[in-house]
Structure formats: C-alpha cells, structure tokens
C-alpha cells in the first residue's frame, strides 16, 4: 500500500500524474507487514487492527518498547508545565487581589 488515496480529485489541468509506491520499509504496519520486516522500518503506523481492537497506546507500548520511555518523559514535562502554569495563575490572582485592595484608598 502506498498510502495514497486514489480517489482524491486532481486539480484541473493535471491529466497525468505519476504515482509511485514507496518500499514497505517506509510505512510499516502490523496489520499488513511481517514482524521480521519491522527491524528495517523507517516509520511505524500504529494503525487500528479491526481484529484485535487494541487501543493505540497499548499497541505503541507493545510494538515500540521505547515508547514507554518517551511517553514517561513527555508526561513528566506536561505535569511540570501544568504545575508551573497553576502556580503562575495563583501568583497573578494573588497579585491582582492585593492591587485591587490598595486601589480603594
């Protein structure tokens, strides 16, 4: 599968557009590729498998073990950003309440 939707309409004036298929290693998917070919994959498509209905995050953890490490790092970064944002909002709220109490003088 080349990943190109052959039903896409072509722009007017373009009558012949060559379509090239990429080698399988450029888009590996467990549904249609062999396990042995995964070692040469340049990209991995976490496509839905209608037979297993396995959630994508579970599939990512199983197919690409390094996903767990990446996901953990990203979650830590996100948690840190959320905490910092919350602290900044509290500081701004506190600052605004102090300044509004002084403006009544």
């Amino acid at each position: 599968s080349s990943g190109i939707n052959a039903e896409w309409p072509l722009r007017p004036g373009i009558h012949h557009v060559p379509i090239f298929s990429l080698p399988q290693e450029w888009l590996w998917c467990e549904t249609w590729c062999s396990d042995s070919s995964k070692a040469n994959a340049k990209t991995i498509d976490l496509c839905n498998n209608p037979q297993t209905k396995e959630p994508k995050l579970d599939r990512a953890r199983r197919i690409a073990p390094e996903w767990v490490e990446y996901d953990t790092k990203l979650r830590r970064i996100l948690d840190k950003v959320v905490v910092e944002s919350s602290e900044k909002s509290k500081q701004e709220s506190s600052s605004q309440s102090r300044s509004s109490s002084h403006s009544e003088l």
Side-chain angles (χ1 to χ4, degrees):
S1 172
S2 67
I4 295 174
N5 185 344
E7 296 175 9
W8 287 351
L10 298 176
R11 293 189 335 213
I14 299 178
H15 301 288
H16 299 284
V17 177
I19 297 176
F20 301 96
S21 293
L22 291 172
Q24 179 179 318
E25 67 195 27
W26 281 95
L27 186 60
W28 185 91
C29 179
E30 184 178 44
T31 303
W32 67 78
C33 299
S34 68
D35 288 341
S36 62
S37 66
K38 186 175 83 168
N40 298 321
K42 296 185 185 327
T43 59
I44 295 176
D45 183 352
L46 298 174
C47 52
N48 289 321
N49 184 337
Q51 295 176 347
T52 65
K53 298 184 178 171
E54 180 181 21
K56 282 192 177 187
L57 289 178
D58 292 346
R59 180 179 299 259
R61 289 180 194 105
R62 184 176 51 76
I63 292 174
E66 63 273 17
W67 177 269
V68 175
E69 181 183 348
Y70 299 151
D71 190 48
T72 302
K73 286 180 181 180
L74 288 173
R75 287 179 190 272
R76 283 187 198 134
I77 292 168
L78 181 60
D79 289 346
K80 182 178 176 183
V81 168
V82 168
V83 167
E84 289 173 357
S85 176
S86 175
E87 289 173 356
K88 184 177 179 182
S89 292
K90 287 178 184 176
Q91 289 174 352
E92 288 173 353
S93 177
S94 175
S95 175
Q96 288 174 353
S97 67
R98 284 193 305 251
S99 64
S100 66
S101 65
H102 292 289
S103 63
E104 294 178 8
L105 293 177

